Amino acid sequence: ERSLLGGDCLNVGCVPSKALIRSARAAADAREAGAFGVNVSGEVSVDFAAVMQRMRRLRSGIAPHDSAERFRGMGIDVFIGQATFQRPGIVRVGEQDLPYARAIIATGARAAIPPVPGLAEAGYLTNETVFSLTELPRRLAILGAGPIGCELAQSFARFGSQVTLIDSTSGILNREDEEAAGLVQKALERDGVRILCGGKAASVARNGNEKTIELDCEGTRHSVACDEILVAVGRAPNVEGLGLEAVGVDYDKRAGVAVDDRLRTTNRDIYACGDICSRYKFTHAADAMARIVIQNALLFGRAKASALTIPWCTYTDPEAAHVGLYEKDAKEQGVAYDVFRVELASVDRAILDGQTTGFLKVLTKKGTDKILGATLVASHAGDLLAPLVLAMTNDIGLGKIAKTIHAYPTQAEAIKKAGDAYSRTRLTPLVKSIFEKILAWRR
């Protein structure tokens, strides 16, 4: 490892961002406490330095799980430095050549930086530097309205920053279900985030401590003044400096290392997993792929990445979680499907929690209970989605979910309601007629 063990997730990704999100949610809960009959005297304020201190404390508490000491204790040799393939069978770290029978490339990805004139000169933050802030930016502009951009936009707005979120597409979370993205956008705007979509930053200039972004947004010229710029336009695979050419590993600077379905590169002795080769740039996806690589590289396995059922979640408030096919995917692939939808406003626990913004949408294969995909928007959608991921992974249909007793009242009842909705479709006119005759006879 050339930097810190644990990679992006522990050091500059999931762990620190979710710590900030939790603090931001606490601030929002305090401001909204009056709706629950709880009086919070005075204006709610955020001690940003304390928020960041808490994040760093929690991160350091988790860090030993990925420490060099722990791995060495398990009998693993750990080398700190840049690794470069010298020739087949040899990788160099620093001044030392290490022989290998099998190699796995898991170098991850970094923040992609758009070629905006003046951006480098003005200075900017990425996920690698934003968590080092000690003072809250009064005005924060974020380039990119994907998951990272949306999560941090809402959090910093809740901390008290004036946040402007800029994206070149027509809306935020452009890969997400359109309705789900719409609900998240309303939530961000409710928290004070200014959203400018449909325009790219044309230039950036700096005057003292102030930075100005000039952009053309759907024909309208905008000038955004800010104190800090956060770049969150996507990820670039870390393929540089690895010596991939020396061992015949094909790669692309945008897509990363080329692998087959068993995660083997174009060199049959070298495998890859995680952000370096996957379009699913999530920690849990990298973990699942790593397990496949271990099976295939060391244990003569034949596991396939295409067999994985990978969920994902954007941790805004409400969260937007998804697994499997979207409706647009099903239409593009010509897959016939049924939709079973449950509004959070019809779930008793969501009503009692005051968290009725959201819905569950389950796609099934036409005329069957086989789950093709699901989208869930709820305050804890990432947690609530897990039973549907389990069902898809193990080929459990909505019919069996309908037979599963769910504790009442819980927000997970939304999943039970979707199962019940499927069960009601089985009451065809013929079945209904038969039931009516049986009941009439029993009277």
Side-chain angles (χ1 to χ4, degrees), residues 280-314:
Y280 298 108
K281 295 189 181 342
F282 313 115
T283 300
H284 51 277
D287 177 272
M289 294 173 72
R291 294 167 191 257
I292 288 177
V293 164
I294 293 300
Q295 294 177 55
N296 295 348
L298 300 181
L299 304 176
F300 309 103
R302 305 286 289 172
K304 295 182 178 181
S306 60
L308 296 175
T309 301
I310 300 176
W312 54 86
C313 182
T314 298

PDB file of all heavy atoms in Angstrom, residues 280-314:
ATOM      1  N   TYR A 280     -19.202  -0.502 -10.497  1.00  0.00           N
ATOM      2  CA  TYR A 280     -19.860  -0.358  -9.192  1.00  0.00           C
ATOM      3  C   TYR A 280     -18.822   0.103  -8.176  1.00  0.00           C
ATOM      4  O   TYR A 280     -18.140  -0.703  -7.563  1.00  0.00           O
ATOM      5  CB  TYR A 280     -20.486  -1.682  -8.751  1.00  0.00           C
ATOM      6  CG  TYR A 280     -21.557  -2.195  -9.666  1.00  0.00           C
ATOM      7  CD1 TYR A 280     -21.331  -3.296 -10.485  1.00  0.00           C
ATOM      8  CD2 TYR A 280     -22.806  -1.578  -9.720  1.00  0.00           C
ATOM      9  CE1 TYR A 280     -22.330  -3.775 -11.330  1.00  0.00           C
ATOM     10  CE2 TYR A 280     -23.805  -2.049 -10.556  1.00  0.00           C
ATOM     11  CZ  TYR A 280     -23.556  -3.144 -11.364  1.00  0.00           C
ATOM     12  OH  TYR A 280     -24.537  -3.613 -12.196  1.00  0.00           O
ATOM     13  N   LYS A 281     -18.700   1.407  -8.002  1.00  0.00           N
ATOM     14  CA  LYS A 281     -17.643   1.934  -7.145  1.00  0.00           C
ATOM     15  C   LYS A 281     -18.166   2.105  -5.711  1.00  0.00           C
ATOM     16  O   LYS A 281     -18.351   3.216  -5.216  1.00  0.00           O
ATOM     17  CB  LYS A 281     -17.103   3.231  -7.731  1.00  0.00           C
ATOM     18  CG  LYS A 281     -16.411   2.975  -9.095  1.00  0.00           C
ATOM     19  CD  LYS A 281     -15.689   4.150  -9.606  1.00  0.00           C
ATOM     20  CE  LYS A 281     -15.021   3.946 -10.944  1.00  0.00           C
ATOM     21  NZ  LYS A 281     -14.787   2.630 -11.441  1.00  0.00           N
ATOM     22  N   PHE A 282     -18.374   0.947  -5.076  1.00  0.00           N
ATOM     23  CA  PHE A 282     -18.867   0.895  -3.706  1.00  0.00           C
ATOM     24  C   PHE A 282     -17.968  -0.036  -2.903  1.00  0.00           C
ATOM     25  O   PHE A 282     -17.456  -1.029  -3.434  1.00  0.00           O
ATOM     26  CB  PHE A 282     -20.302   0.376  -3.641  1.00  0.00           C
ATOM     27  CG  PHE A 282     -21.241   1.002  -4.629  1.00  0.00           C
ATOM     28  CD1 PHE A 282     -21.812   0.239  -5.640  1.00  0.00           C
ATOM     29  CD2 PHE A 282     -21.553   2.352  -4.552  1.00  0.00           C
ATOM     30  CE1 PHE A 282     -22.684   0.804  -6.554  1.00  0.00           C
ATOM     31  CE2 PHE A 282     -22.414   2.929  -5.471  1.00  0.00           C
ATOM     32  CZ  PHE A 282     -22.980   2.155  -6.478  1.00  0.00           C
ATOM     33  N   THR A 283     -17.816   0.263  -1.626  1.00  0.00           N
ATOM     34  CA  THR A 283     -16.989  -0.578  -0.771  1.00  0.00           C
ATOM     35  C   THR A 283     -17.501  -2.011  -0.724  1.00  0.00           C
ATOM     36  O   THR A 283     -16.729  -2.969  -0.802  1.00  0.00           O
ATOM     37  CB  THR A 283     -16.949   0.015   0.650  1.00  0.00           C
ATOM     38  OG1 THR A 283     -16.393   1.328   0.588  1.00  0.00           O
ATOM     39  CG2 THR A 283     -16.110  -0.842   1.584  1.00  0.00           C
ATOM     40  N   HIS A 284     -18.822  -2.165  -0.595  1.00  0.00           N
ATOM     41  CA  HIS A 284     -19.375  -3.520  -0.487  1.00  0.00           C
ATOM     42  C   HIS A 284     -19.214  -4.294  -1.792  1.00  0.00           C
ATOM     43  O   HIS A 284     -19.076  -5.519  -1.776  1.00  0.00           O
ATOM     44  CB  HIS A 284     -20.840  -3.480  -0.053  1.00  0.00           C
ATOM     45  CG  HIS A 284     -21.708  -2.569  -0.863  1.00  0.00           C
ATOM     46  ND1 HIS A 284     -21.798  -1.221  -0.634  1.00  0.00           N
ATOM     47  CD2 HIS A 284     -22.539  -2.815  -1.902  1.00  0.00           C
ATOM     48  CE1 HIS A 284     -22.638  -0.674  -1.490  1.00  0.00           C
ATOM     49  NE2 HIS A 284     -23.101  -1.621  -2.283  1.00  0.00           N
ATOM     50  N   ALA A 285     -19.219  -3.586  -2.919  1.00  0.00           N
ATOM     51  CA  ALA A 285     -18.989  -4.265  -4.205  1.00  0.00           C
ATOM     52  C   ALA A 285     -17.538  -4.728  -4.296  1.00  0.00           C
ATOM     53  O   ALA A 285     -17.255  -5.844  -4.759  1.00  0.00           O
ATOM     54  CB  ALA A 285     -19.322  -3.331  -5.364  1.00  0.00           C
ATOM     55  N   ALA A 286     -16.601  -3.882  -3.833  1.00  0.00           N
ATOM     56  CA  ALA A 286     -15.193  -4.260  -3.846  1.00  0.00           C
ATOM     57  C   ALA A 286     -14.958  -5.474  -2.951  1.00  0.00           C
ATOM     58  O   ALA A 286     -14.182  -6.384  -3.296  1.00  0.00           O
ATOM     59  CB  ALA A 286     -14.338  -3.082  -3.383  1.00  0.00           C
ATOM     60  N   ASP A 287     -15.617  -5.492  -1.806  1.00  0.00           N
ATOM     61  CA  ASP A 287     -15.493  -6.624  -0.887  1.00  0.00           C
ATOM     62  C   ASP A 287     -15.984  -7.914  -1.539  1.00  0.00           C
ATOM     63  O   ASP A 287     -15.317  -8.963  -1.469  1.00  0.00           O
ATOM     64  CB  ASP A 287     -16.294  -6.333   0.386  1.00  0.00           C
ATOM     65  CG  ASP A 287     -16.281  -7.496   1.360  1.00  0.00           C
ATOM     66  OD1 ASP A 287     -17.167  -8.378   1.240  1.00  0.00           O
ATOM     67  OD2 ASP A 287     -15.402  -7.555   2.232  1.00  0.00           O
ATOM     68  N   ALA A 288     -17.138  -7.841  -2.184  1.00  0.00           N
ATOM     69  CA  ALA A 288     -17.696  -9.033  -2.844  1.00  0.00           C
ATOM     70  C   ALA A 288     -16.796  -9.508  -3.976  1.00  0.00           C
ATOM     71  O   ALA A 288     -16.599 -10.721  -4.173  1.00  0.00           O
ATOM     72  CB  ALA A 288     -19.099  -8.725  -3.377  1.00  0.00           C
ATOM     73  N   MET A 289     -16.237  -8.564  -4.723  1.00  0.00           N
ATOM     74  CA  MET A 289     -15.342  -8.932  -5.819  1.00  0.00           C
ATOM     75  C   MET A 289     -14.037  -9.532  -5.287  1.00  0.00           C
ATOM     76  O   MET A 289     -13.469 -10.458  -5.880  1.00  0.00           O
ATOM     77  CB  MET A 289     -15.054  -7.703  -6.679  1.00  0.00           C
ATOM     78  CG  MET A 289     -16.273  -7.161  -7.417  1.00  0.00           C
ATOM     79  SD  MET A 289     -15.947  -5.589  -8.252  1.00  0.00           S
ATOM     80  CE  MET A 289     -14.906  -6.145  -9.597  1.00  0.00           C
ATOM     81  N   ALA A 290     -13.559  -9.025  -4.157  1.00  0.00           N
ATOM     82  CA  ALA A 290     -12.335  -9.560  -3.562  1.00  0.00           C
ATOM     83  C   ALA A 290     -12.522 -11.030  -3.179  1.00  0.00           C
ATOM     84  O   ALA A 290     -11.610 -11.844  -3.337  1.00  0.00           O
ATOM     85  CB  ALA A 290     -11.947  -8.743  -2.338  1.00  0.00           C
ATOM     86  N   ARG A 291     -13.693 -11.372  -2.696  1.00  0.00           N
ATOM     87  CA  ARG A 291     -13.975 -12.767  -2.334  1.00  0.00           C
ATOM     88  C   ARG A 291     -13.959 -13.657  -3.580  1.00  0.00           C
ATOM     89  O   ARG A 291     -13.495 -14.802  -3.533  1.00  0.00           O
ATOM     90  CB  ARG A 291     -15.327 -12.847  -1.629  1.00  0.00           C
ATOM     91  CG  ARG A 291     -15.332 -12.140  -0.271  1.00  0.00           C
ATOM     92  CD  ARG A 291     -16.754 -11.944   0.261  1.00  0.00           C
ATOM     93  NE  ARG A 291     -16.754 -11.059   1.413  1.00  0.00           N
ATOM     94  CZ  ARG A 291     -16.869 -11.484   2.690  1.00  0.00           C
ATOM     95  NH1 ARG A 291     -16.990 -12.777   2.942  1.00  0.00           N
ATOM     96  NH2 ARG A 291     -16.859 -10.620   3.682  1.00  0.00           N
ATOM     97  N   ILE A 292     -14.472 -13.113  -4.686  1.00  0.00           N
ATOM     98  CA  ILE A 292     -14.433 -13.869  -5.944  1.00  0.00           C
ATOM     99  C   ILE A 292     -12.991 -14.084  -6.393  1.00  0.00           C
ATOM    100  O   ILE A 292     -12.609 -15.184  -6.815  1.00  0.00           O
ATOM    101  CB  ILE A 292     -15.237 -13.129  -7.032  1.00  0.00           C
ATOM    102  CG1 ILE A 292     -16.738 -13.242  -6.749  1.00  0.00           C
ATOM    103  CG2 ILE A 292     -14.911 -13.666  -8.424  1.00  0.00           C
ATOM    104  CD1 ILE A 292     -17.606 -12.488  -7.733  1.00  0.00           C
ATOM    105  N   VAL A 293     -12.179 -13.019  -6.290  1.00  0.00           N
ATOM    106  CA  VAL A 293     -10.780 -13.123  -6.710  1.00  0.00           C
ATOM    107  C   VAL A 293     -10.032 -14.174  -5.898  1.00  0.00           C
ATOM    108  O   VAL A 293      -9.257 -14.967  -6.437  1.00  0.00           O
ATOM    109  CB  VAL A 293     -10.094 -11.742  -6.596  1.00  0.00           C
ATOM    110  CG1 VAL A 293      -8.583 -11.895  -6.633  1.00  0.00           C
ATOM    111  CG2 VAL A 293     -10.552 -10.834  -7.728  1.00  0.00           C
ATOM    112  N   ILE A 294     -10.253 -14.199  -4.585  1.00  0.00           N
ATOM    113  CA  ILE A 294      -9.571 -15.185  -3.740  1.00  0.00           C
ATOM    114  C   ILE A 294      -9.958 -16.604  -4.168  1.00  0.00           C
ATOM    115  O   ILE A 294      -9.103 -17.495  -4.282  1.00  0.00           O
ATOM    116  CB  ILE A 294      -9.924 -14.953  -2.262  1.00  0.00           C
ATOM    117  CG1 ILE A 294      -9.331 -13.622  -1.779  1.00  0.00           C
ATOM    118  CG2 ILE A 294      -9.418 -16.104  -1.394  1.00  0.00           C
ATOM    119  CD1 ILE A 294      -7.823 -13.544  -1.879  1.00  0.00           C
ATOM    120  N   GLN A 295     -11.251 -16.811  -4.412  1.00  0.00           N
ATOM    121  CA  GLN A 295     -11.693 -18.130  -4.878  1.00  0.00           C
ATOM    122  C   GLN A 295     -11.017 -18.514  -6.187  1.00  0.00           C
ATOM    123  O   GLN A 295     -10.491 -19.620  -6.333  1.00  0.00           O
ATOM    124  CB  GLN A 295     -13.211 -18.141  -5.089  1.00  0.00           C
ATOM    125  CG  GLN A 295     -14.048 -17.989  -3.835  1.00  0.00           C
ATOM    126  CD  GLN A 295     -15.516 -17.944  -4.187  1.00  0.00           C
ATOM    127  OE1 GLN A 295     -16.050 -18.827  -4.847  1.00  0.00           O
ATOM    128  NE2 GLN A 295     -16.193 -16.895  -3.744  1.00  0.00           N
ATOM    129  N   ASN A 296     -11.031 -17.593  -7.129  1.00  0.00           N
ATOM    130  CA  ASN A 296     -10.555 -17.911  -8.475  1.00  0.00           C
ATOM    131  C   ASN A 296      -9.034 -17.939  -8.593  1.00  0.00           C
ATOM    132  O   ASN A 296      -8.475 -18.766  -9.319  1.00  0.00           O
ATOM    133  CB  ASN A 296     -11.129 -16.918  -9.484  1.00  0.00           C
ATOM    134  CG  ASN A 296     -12.645 -17.026  -9.595  1.00  0.00           C
ATOM    135  OD1 ASN A 296     -13.253 -17.975  -9.094  1.00  0.00           O
ATOM    136  ND2 ASN A 296     -13.265 -16.068 -10.253  1.00  0.00           N
ATOM    137  N   ALA A 297      -8.345 -17.071  -7.883  1.00  0.00           N
ATOM    138  CA  ALA A 297      -6.892 -16.987  -8.007  1.00  0.00           C
ATOM    139  C   ALA A 297      -6.177 -18.061  -7.191  1.00  0.00           C
ATOM    140  O   ALA A 297      -5.146 -18.580  -7.613  1.00  0.00           O
ATOM    141  CB  ALA A 297      -6.409 -15.607  -7.579  1.00  0.00           C
ATOM    142  N   LEU A 298      -6.723 -18.394  -6.024  1.00  0.00           N
ATOM    143  CA  LEU A 298      -6.007 -19.281  -5.114  1.00  0.00           C
ATOM    144  C   LEU A 298      -6.671 -20.640  -4.902  1.00  0.00           C
ATOM    145  O   LEU A 298      -5.990 -21.603  -4.543  1.00  0.00           O
ATOM    146  CB  LEU A 298      -5.840 -18.597  -3.745  1.00  0.00           C
ATOM    147  CG  LEU A 298      -5.059 -17.279  -3.736  1.00  0.00           C
ATOM    148  CD1 LEU A 298      -4.955 -16.737  -2.324  1.00  0.00           C
ATOM    149  CD2 LEU A 298      -3.686 -17.455  -4.348  1.00  0.00           C
ATOM    150  N   LEU A 299      -7.969 -20.721  -5.084  1.00  0.00           N
ATOM    151  CA  LEU A 299      -8.699 -21.940  -4.714  1.00  0.00           C
ATOM    152  C   LEU A 299      -9.334 -22.632  -5.909  1.00  0.00           C
ATOM    153  O   LEU A 299     -10.267 -23.421  -5.749  1.00  0.00           O
ATOM    154  CB  LEU A 299      -9.771 -21.603  -3.662  1.00  0.00           C
ATOM    155  CG  LEU A 299      -9.240 -20.909  -2.402  1.00  0.00           C
ATOM    156  CD1 LEU A 299     -10.386 -20.534  -1.481  1.00  0.00           C
ATOM    157  CD2 LEU A 299      -8.246 -21.805  -1.670  1.00  0.00           C
ATOM    158  N   PHE A 300      -8.867 -22.343  -7.110  1.00  0.00           N
ATOM    159  CA  PHE A 300      -9.349 -22.989  -8.331  1.00  0.00           C
ATOM    160  C   PHE A 300     -10.855 -22.785  -8.525  1.00  0.00           C
ATOM    161  O   PHE A 300     -11.537 -23.655  -9.056  1.00  0.00           O
ATOM    162  CB  PHE A 300      -9.022 -24.495  -8.314  1.00  0.00           C
ATOM    163  CG  PHE A 300      -7.587 -24.792  -8.010  1.00  0.00           C
ATOM    164  CD1 PHE A 300      -7.200 -25.237  -6.744  1.00  0.00           C
ATOM    165  CD2 PHE A 300      -6.600 -24.594  -8.972  1.00  0.00           C
ATOM    166  CE1 PHE A 300      -5.875 -25.494  -6.450  1.00  0.00           C
ATOM    167  CE2 PHE A 300      -5.268 -24.853  -8.689  1.00  0.00           C
ATOM    168  CZ  PHE A 300      -4.902 -25.307  -7.428  1.00  0.00           C
ATOM    169  N   GLY A 301     -11.365 -21.646  -8.076  1.00  0.00           N
ATOM    170  CA  GLY A 301     -12.796 -21.370  -8.188  1.00  0.00           C
ATOM    171  C   GLY A 301     -13.190 -20.928  -9.584  1.00  0.00           C
ATOM    172  O   GLY A 301     -12.337 -20.629 -10.428  1.00  0.00           O
ATOM    173  N   ARG A 302     -14.498 -20.896  -9.824  1.00  0.00           N
ATOM    174  CA  ARG A 302     -15.039 -20.450 -11.113  1.00  0.00           C
ATOM    175  C   ARG A 302     -16.138 -19.403 -10.889  1.00  0.00           C
ATOM    176  O   ARG A 302     -17.073 -19.290 -11.671  1.00  0.00           O
ATOM    177  CB  ARG A 302     -15.618 -21.647 -11.887  1.00  0.00           C
ATOM    178  CG  ARG A 302     -14.649 -22.801 -12.100  1.00  0.00           C
ATOM    179  CD  ARG A 302     -13.605 -22.476 -13.145  1.00  0.00           C
ATOM    180  NE  ARG A 302     -14.194 -22.427 -14.489  1.00  0.00           N
ATOM    181  CZ  ARG A 302     -13.526 -22.018 -15.566  1.00  0.00           C
ATOM    182  NH1 ARG A 302     -12.263 -21.614 -15.451  1.00  0.00           N
ATOM    183  NH2 ARG A 302     -14.108 -22.009 -16.752  1.00  0.00           N
ATOM    184  N   ALA A 303     -16.020 -18.644  -9.792  1.00  0.00           N
ATOM    185  CA  ALA A 303     -17.043 -17.660  -9.455  1.00  0.00           C
ATOM    186  C   ALA A 303     -17.058 -16.527 -10.471  1.00  0.00           C
ATOM    187  O   ALA A 303     -16.028 -16.146 -11.025  1.00  0.00           O
ATOM    188  CB  ALA A 303     -16.789 -17.106  -8.057  1.00  0.00           C
ATOM    189  N   LYS A 304     -18.258 -15.980 -10.714  1.00  0.00           N
ATOM    190  CA  LYS A 304     -18.435 -14.926 -11.708  1.00  0.00           C
ATOM    191  C   LYS A 304     -18.952 -13.640 -11.065  1.00  0.00           C
ATOM    192  O   LYS A 304     -19.850 -13.660 -10.225  1.00  0.00           O
ATOM    193  CB  LYS A 304     -19.421 -15.379 -12.787  1.00  0.00           C
ATOM    194  CG  LYS A 304     -18.940 -16.557 -13.623  1.00  0.00           C
ATOM    195  CD  LYS A 304     -19.963 -16.890 -14.686  1.00  0.00           C
ATOM    196  CE  LYS A 304     -19.493 -18.039 -15.579  1.00  0.00           C
ATOM    197  NZ  LYS A 304     -20.481 -18.347 -16.636  1.00  0.00           N
ATOM    198  N   ALA A 305     -18.395 -12.527 -11.507  1.00  0.00           N
ATOM    199  CA  ALA A 305     -18.846 -11.228 -11.017  1.00  0.00           C
ATOM    200  C   ALA A 305     -20.276 -10.932 -11.463  1.00  0.00           C
ATOM    201  O   ALA A 305     -21.024 -10.247 -10.760  1.00  0.00           O
ATOM    202  CB  ALA A 305     -17.908 -10.130 -11.497  1.00  0.00           C
ATOM    203  N   SER A 306     -20.657 -11.440 -12.617  1.00  0.00           N
ATOM    204  CA  SER A 306     -22.010 -11.182 -13.132  1.00  0.00           C
ATOM    205  C   SER A 306     -23.090 -11.824 -12.273  1.00  0.00           C
ATOM    206  O   SER A 306     -24.263 -11.477 -12.389  1.00  0.00           O
ATOM    207  CB  SER A 306     -22.130 -11.686 -14.569  1.00  0.00           C
ATOM    208  OG  SER A 306     -21.881 -13.083 -14.633  1.00  0.00           O
ATOM    209  N   ALA A 307     -22.706 -12.760 -11.417  1.00  0.00           N
ATOM    210  CA  ALA A 307     -23.680 -13.427 -10.556  1.00  0.00           C
ATOM    211  C   ALA A 307     -23.992 -12.619  -9.298  1.00  0.00           C
ATOM    212  O   ALA A 307     -24.910 -12.966  -8.553  1.00  0.00           O
ATOM    213  CB  ALA A 307     -23.177 -14.816 -10.158  1.00  0.00           C
ATOM    214  N   LEU A 308     -23.247 -11.551  -9.065  1.00  0.00           N
ATOM    215  CA  LEU A 308     -23.442 -10.750  -7.858  1.00  0.00           C
ATOM    216  C   LEU A 308     -24.710  -9.910  -7.948  1.00  0.00           C
ATOM    217  O   LEU A 308     -25.028  -9.345  -9.001  1.00  0.00           O
ATOM    218  CB  LEU A 308     -22.244  -9.822  -7.636  1.00  0.00           C
ATOM    219  CG  LEU A 308     -20.893 -10.490  -7.366  1.00  0.00           C
ATOM    220  CD1 LEU A 308     -19.796  -9.425  -7.303  1.00  0.00           C
ATOM    221  CD2 LEU A 308     -20.932 -11.294  -6.082  1.00  0.00           C
ATOM    222  N   THR A 309     -25.426  -9.823  -6.848  1.00  0.00           N
ATOM    223  CA  THR A 309     -26.569  -8.917  -6.724  1.00  0.00           C
ATOM    224  C   THR A 309     -26.109  -7.761  -5.851  1.00  0.00           C
ATOM    225  O   THR A 309     -25.967  -7.906  -4.636  1.00  0.00           O
ATOM    226  CB  THR A 309     -27.773  -9.632  -6.077  1.00  0.00           C
ATOM    227  OG1 THR A 309     -28.141 -10.765  -6.876  1.00  0.00           O
ATOM    228  CG2 THR A 309     -28.955  -8.686  -5.953  1.00  0.00           C
ATOM    229  N   ILE A 310     -25.868  -6.614  -6.475  1.00  0.00           N
ATOM    230  CA  ILE A 310     -25.231  -5.487  -5.775  1.00  0.00           C
ATOM    231  C   ILE A 310     -26.231  -4.353  -5.534  1.00  0.00           C
ATOM    232  O   ILE A 310     -26.746  -3.756  -6.476  1.00  0.00           O
ATOM    233  CB  ILE A 310     -24.032  -4.958  -6.578  1.00  0.00           C
ATOM    234  CG1 ILE A 310     -22.991  -6.077  -6.771  1.00  0.00           C
ATOM    235  CG2 ILE A 310     -23.393  -3.764  -5.863  1.00  0.00           C
ATOM    236  CD1 ILE A 310     -21.813  -5.673  -7.631  1.00  0.00           C
ATOM    237  N   PRO A 311     -26.505  -4.052  -4.277  1.00  0.00           N
ATOM    238  CA  PRO A 311     -27.349  -2.890  -3.972  1.00  0.00           C
ATOM    239  C   PRO A 311     -26.500  -1.635  -3.826  1.00  0.00           C
ATOM    240  O   PRO A 311     -25.271  -1.714  -3.725  1.00  0.00           O
ATOM    241  CB  PRO A 311     -27.966  -3.274  -2.619  1.00  0.00           C
ATOM    242  CG  PRO A 311     -26.861  -4.060  -1.952  1.00  0.00           C
ATOM    243  CD  PRO A 311     -26.122  -4.791  -3.060  1.00  0.00           C
ATOM    244  N   TRP A 312     -27.141  -0.486  -3.809  1.00  0.00           N
ATOM    245  CA  TRP A 312     -26.425   0.751  -3.503  1.00  0.00           C
ATOM    246  C   TRP A 312     -27.378   1.750  -2.881  1.00  0.00           C
ATOM    247  O   TRP A 312     -28.610   1.612  -2.975  1.00  0.00           O
ATOM    248  CB  TRP A 312     -25.750   1.342  -4.730  1.00  0.00           C
ATOM    249  CG  TRP A 312     -26.621   1.572  -5.934  1.00  0.00           C
ATOM    250  CD1 TRP A 312     -27.382   2.668  -6.210  1.00  0.00           C
ATOM    251  CD2 TRP A 312     -26.798   0.663  -7.027  1.00  0.00           C
ATOM    252  NE1 TRP A 312     -28.020   2.517  -7.420  1.00  0.00           N
ATOM    253  CE2 TRP A 312     -27.669   1.287  -7.943  1.00  0.00           C
ATOM    254  CE3 TRP A 312     -26.292  -0.602  -7.319  1.00  0.00           C
ATOM    255  CZ2 TRP A 312     -28.072   0.677  -9.131  1.00  0.00           C
ATOM    256  CZ3 TRP A 312     -26.683  -1.202  -8.499  1.00  0.00           C
ATOM    257  CH2 TRP A 312     -27.557  -0.571  -9.396  1.00  0.00           C
ATOM    258  N   CYS A 313     -26.795   2.742  -2.236  1.00  0.00           N
ATOM    259  CA  CYS A 313     -27.619   3.715  -1.516  1.00  0.00           C
ATOM    260  C   CYS A 313     -26.929   5.068  -1.509  1.00  0.00           C
ATOM    261  O   CYS A 313     -25.709   5.153  -1.364  1.00  0.00           O
ATOM    262  CB  CYS A 313     -27.846   3.230  -0.078  1.00  0.00           C
ATOM    263  SG  CYS A 313     -28.897   4.316   0.902  1.00  0.00           S
ATOM    264  N   THR A 314     -27.712   6.122  -1.686  1.00  0.00           N
ATOM    265  CA  THR A 314     -27.242   7.489  -1.509  1.00  0.00           C
ATOM    266  C   THR A 314     -27.747   7.951  -0.152  1.00  0.00           C
ATOM    267  O   THR A 314     -28.958   7.944   0.113  1.00  0.00           O
ATOM    268  CB  THR A 314     -27.776   8.414  -2.619  1.00  0.00           C
ATOM    269  OG1 THR A 314     -27.279   7.942  -3.885  1.00  0.00           O
ATOM    270  CG2 THR A 314     -27.321   9.847  -2.397  1.00  0.00           C
TER     271      THR A 314
END
